[in-house]
Amino acid sequence: MDMKLILQSAVDGILMGGIYGLVAIGLTLIFGVMKIINFAQGSLMMIGMYVTFWSFEKLGLNPYLSIPLSAICLFVIGVGIQKFILERTIGAPEHNQLLVTMGIMMVVENAAMALWSPDPRTISIPSLQESLHLGELLINKPRGIAFLVTIVLTVLLYWFLHKTILGKAIRATSISRDGSSIVGIQVKRINYITFGIGAALAAVAGTLITPFFYTSPVAGSSFVLKAFIVVVLGGLGNFVGALIGGLLIGVSEALGGVFLEGSWKELVTFALFILVLLFRPTGLFGRGGK
């Protein structure tokens, strides 16, 4: 087996794993605070992709400059979803919450099909077509940028949650909703902000993959299943674990493509998932490690 091929695949897997981790961080943040399994995370990511795509097509805006725009748009949408729909499900059985978020996902995806058709779209930026050389290895520019942005956002989120008053309120709410209410924290407001942040992170992930991935109403579905696997691997509610879990899934998927043919490469990812469930049910890094 060519060692260069293995190393190149591992690098590609790490870069892609950053995107999986970013989607999963928003997912695990929402679960950690509200205990809601958000199946709509992939469709929110898809909206972020369309914000970036149309900003590029209609305004000529560089995809990376549209990151604030997509993040703000999805933050507002996320707050609206939480305030008018999901807030009513807080405390309801988990399967009810799951069905509601699945319903939101289907509504969003079908609305996108009606508005923009199911046809996949891509954008082309010549300056991003060339790869960077790291010795004998090649770094895909868009994936490299996506990975760096993911690391920066993870560090900023960690700082926000641990060093700011609002971040500490979010962490307190994730530990005890009743206790947070007693000390004066407005739990509903924290719910709105948390879901908004989770949606904004999905939007940023969508923006980051638009330069190298097709944009379509079902594009988010390609990522949401892996995001759930990543969340379980890292530990429910543990966003640092979600990032590391994303990297593990990215590498396992890439190396699986080297050693196995076709769709068999997915076997490595699911085998890793099953092993963690069997021997470490709370995830590799435990739960609620924000």
Side-chain angles (χ1 to χ4, degrees):
M1 180 63 67
D2 187 352
M3 184 57 66
K4 180 183 175 181
L5 176 60
I6 295 176
L7 291 175
Q8 182 66 60
S9 298
V11 170
D12 292 340
I14 290 172
L15 298 181
M16 198 63 199
I19 295 294
Y20 294 150
L22 187 56
V23 179
I25 286 172
L27 195 64
T28 202
L29 184 64
I30 291 169
F31 179 85
V33 174
M34 292 170 284
K35 304 299 182 287
I36 291 177
I37 300 174
N38 181 27
F39 243 97
Q41 191 76 351
S43 59
L44 297 176
M45 176 183 177
M46 174 268 294
I47 297 176
M49 296 176 70
Y50 271 107
V51 170
T52 298
F53 176 81
W54 290 117
S55 296
F56 177 81
E57 284 290 306
K58 302 298 183 182
L59 304 176
L61 189 64
N62 183 287
Y64 301 112
L65 295 180
S66 69
I67 288 177
L69 178 61
S70 63
I72 292 171
C73 288
L74 266 295
F75 178 86
V76 173
I77 291 173
V79 169
I81 290 173
Q82 176 60 35
K83 182 174 182 178
F84 298 109
I85 302 176
L86 294 180
E87 191 65 31
R88 303 170 186 272
T89 70
I90 298 294
E94 290 184 358
H95 65 273
N96 287 356
Q97 298 172 342
L98 184 64
L99 290 173
V100 170
T101 59
M102 288 182 67
I104 294 171
M105 175 192 71
M106 290 187 287
V107 168
V108 171
E109 288 185 355
N110 282 279
M113 288 184 186
L115 287 172
W116 303 307
S117 84
D119 299 331
R121 295 177 167 91
T122 58
I123 63 176
S124 178
I125 303 176
S127 62
L128 295 177
Q129 299 303 313
E130 298 178 0
S131 296
L132 300 175
H133 291 266
L134 183 64
E136 294 186 348
L137 302 176
L138 298 177
I139 305 295
N140 179 275
K141 278 187 180 180
R143 295 190 185 209
I145 293 171
F147 181 79
L148 291 176
V149 173
T150 295
I151 298 300
V152 170
L153 285 177
T154 303
V155 172
L156 288 176
L157 183 61
Y158 185 88
W159 174 85
F160 169 75
L161 290 173
H162 287 80
K163 301 299 182 180
T164 67
I165 294 175
L166 180 57
K168 291 177 181 179
I170 291 173
R171 292 174 60 213
T173 304
S174 71
I175 295 171
S176 174
R177 300 176 63 83
D178 294 335
S180 298
S181 298
I182 292 173
V183 299
I185 295 175
Q186 299 179 30
V187 174
K188 284 188 176 182
R189 177 171 172 265
I190 295 301
N191 290 345
Y192 303 157
I193 293 172
T194 301
F195 200 95
I197 292 173
L201 290 173
V204 174
T207 293
L208 292 174
I209 68 170
T210 301
F212 63 89
F213 200 80
Y214 68 90
T215 299
S216 81
V218 296
S221 300
S222 304
F223 290 84
V224 71
L225 177 58
K226 289 189 176 69
F228 276 109
I229 294 175
V230 168
V231 167
V232 173
L233 287 181
L236 292 168
N238 189 322
F239 83 88
V240 175
L243 176 62
I244 297 174
L247 300 180
L248 289 174
I249 291 298
V251 171
S252 66
E253 184 180 68
L255 293 180
V258 173
F259 294 101
L260 301 172
E261 296 181 356
S263 60
W264 282 99
K265 67 179 182 180
E266 302 290 344
L267 181 64
V268 179
T269 298
F270 290 109
L272 179 62
F273 176 61
I274 292 171
L275 287 173
V276 170
L277 284 179
L278 287 175
F279 298 104
R280 185 79 176 179
T282 58
L284 295 175
F285 302 95
R287 298 187 179 186
K290 297 186 294 300

